[in-house]
Amino acid sequence: MEQNLTEPKKRIFSGVQPSGNITLGNYLGAIKNWVSLQDDYECIFAMMDLHTITVRQTPAELRKRTLELLALYIACGIDPQKSTLFIQSHNSAHAELAWVLNCYTYMGELQRMTQFKDKSSRHADNINAGLFTYPVLMASDILLYQTDLVPVGKDQMQHIEICRDVAQRFNGLYGDVFKIPEGLLVKSGAKVMSLTEPTKKMSKSDPNPKAFISMMDDFNVIAKKIKSAVTDSEGVIEFRPEDDAKAGINNLLTIMAAMTGSTPETVAKDFEGQGYGTFKGAVADAVVEAIRPIREEYDRIIKDKAYLQSIYTSGAENAYRIAQRTLKKVYKKVGFIIE
Ligand code: ATP
Ligand code: LTN
């Protein structure tokens, strides 16, 4: 991650949707990784509320979760002095660029998106146009800031590809308007799986709360969820990533490894010959101990609404300023009159 000091810092953009309580998966797969990037890159992180309404939300809940997400970013170690933090809907440029890029994105490209197929089958009563064009809004988020790198989980790589394709198409027509971004996969690669169906990813919008660990759960609830996580009847602690029958144990080993900075294989060795009960107890303790300081910080920050407001207000100002430069260029290129 080292950079030449004579060059300007590369820019990073990423975000999470305030669509539910942040899970251990979001933390290990996204936010934890961002913290370590802040010194070497110019970072912009947003609460992606425009994306969230592609699935029906309760308005008061969405407002509450957006603020909670900001408090959690900070509690996890994102430093507002170093990084820009803002709420997506506070910068109108996102929706504006998305409209333009909608006219440069093909239906066929969007139809291929796994997330669209997944979410439209899960929300069959509300397959709206926003859900379909979600990747175009995401491309706009990224391209507005002339972003170099986008740290996301593997599930988002398809969206990064479409973003690159649309940017290249636009640049092909009008010259170098957008920087072509690259996805940055989390190195530790922790993909945390559901505790009840360990072949599915842990998701904050899972209707079964036992499937995920929320960063907001009571500590005894976290321990209980881990202790009742689905495993297998073999009773052997071994890391076998290719073996679906072992998915539950693989997942707990992965979580434990991420918590202790170790590898699943090493953790499996450490617990060789022990019962699942003992192992689950140790995983529960490790998770609770890792979340405890974040929660203490979170509980303090969430009470300070004036502080949170000052962060998202100055964040939006900065984001708006950067984004306007790109948006004006785009408007000019496509033939709009800009004063
Ligand atoms: P939803 O359930 O609403 O689709 P989600 O929990 O899948 O949400 P997102 O907001 O879509 O989370 O993703 C935020 C970030 O967290 C992304 O970078 C994504 O790759 C990462 N992420 C989400 N779930 C996991 C997981 N189980 N393991 C690792 N990383 C994850
Ligand atoms: N789709 C992303 C959230 C997201 C995002 C972005 C991530 C929306 N816009 C721009 C990175 C860059 C997700 O994680 N589900």
Side-chain angles (χ1 to χ4, degrees), residues 14-31 34 48 52 55 57 115 119 122 134 151-156 186 189-194 200-206:
S14 197
V16 173
Q17 303 180 66
S19 53
N21 283 328
I22 297 306
T23 67
L24 187 67
N26 300 133
Y27 174 63
L28 294 177
I31 304 174
W34 300 351
M48 315 312 296
T52 308
V55 171
Q57 304 292 325
Q115 182 177 296
K119 291 210 173 173
R122 273 197 280 149
Y134 181 114
V152 281
K154 218 176 179 176
D155 57 305
Q156 294 299 315
V186 183
K191 185 169 177 198
V192 182
M193 309 307 279
S194 155
K200 270 181 27 188
K201 82 161 188 165
M202 181 180 284
S203 172
K204 62 176 128 64
S205 58
D206 197 307

Side-chain angles (χ1 to χ4, degrees), residues 152-318:
V152 281
K154 218 176 179 176
D155 57 305
Q156 294 299 315
M157 277 307 186
Q158 220 184 8
H159 290 163
I160 307 286
E161 273 313 308
I162 214 175
C163 170
R164 290 167 55 89
D165 290 346
V166 172
Q168 268 153 355
R169 182 171 308 140
F170 197 93
N171 284 357
L173 288 164
Y174 303 107
D176 273 345
V177 177
F178 298 123
K179 167 139 329 145
I180 308 300
E182 278 179 39
L184 181 67
L185 271 185
V186 183
K187 251 209 252 108
S188 59
K191 185 169 177 198
V192 182
M193 309 307 279
S194 155
L195 297 178
T196 51
E197 290 169 80
T199 49
K200 270 181 27 188
K201 82 161 188 165
M202 181 180 284
S203 172
K204 62 176 128 64
S205 58
D206 197 307
N208 180 4
K210 287 192 182 140
F212 56 83
I213 294 170
S214 158
M215 298 293 284
M216 303 295 153
D217 278 341
D218 275 351
F219 294 144
N220 53 3
V221 171
I222 295 180
K224 218 182 257 163
K225 285 183 183 177
I226 293 177
K227 284 176 189 161
S228 55
V230 167
T231 47
D232 55 74
S233 54
E234 191 189 30
V236 177
I237 299 178
E238 228 174 48
F239 187 59
R240 300 208 295 261
E242 310 307 329
D243 185 355
D244 272 359
K246 220 62 199 156
I249 286 294
N250 291 339
N251 189 33
L252 294 176
L253 288 167
T254 305
I255 293 175
M256 187 68 166
M259 288 299 150
T260 55
S262 174
T263 63
E265 290 85 356
T266 312
V267 178
K269 280 230 171 65
D270 294 344
F271 284 89
E272 203 177 307
Q274 306 218 31
Y276 285 176
T278 315
F279 175 52
K280 283 177 167 177
V283 177
D285 287 347
V287 171
V288 167
E289 285 324 306
I291 295 182
R292 190 188 300 280
I294 297 175
R295 271 289 280 290
E296 283 168 2
E297 197 51 17
Y298 171 85
D299 289 341
R300 199 178 57 75
I301 299 168
I302 194 69
K303 289 195 198 103
D304 195 347
K305 298 288 187 288
Y307 170 68
L308 289 170
Q309 191 175 6
S310 74
I311 302 294
Y312 70 63
T313 307
S314 65
E317 278 165 15
N318 195 29

Side-chain angles (χ1 to χ4, degrees), residues 74-87:
I74 301 170
C76 287
I78 309 284
D79 180 351
Q81 304 293 333
K82 292 183 188 161
S83 302
T84 297
L85 292 169
F86 76 103
I87 299 170

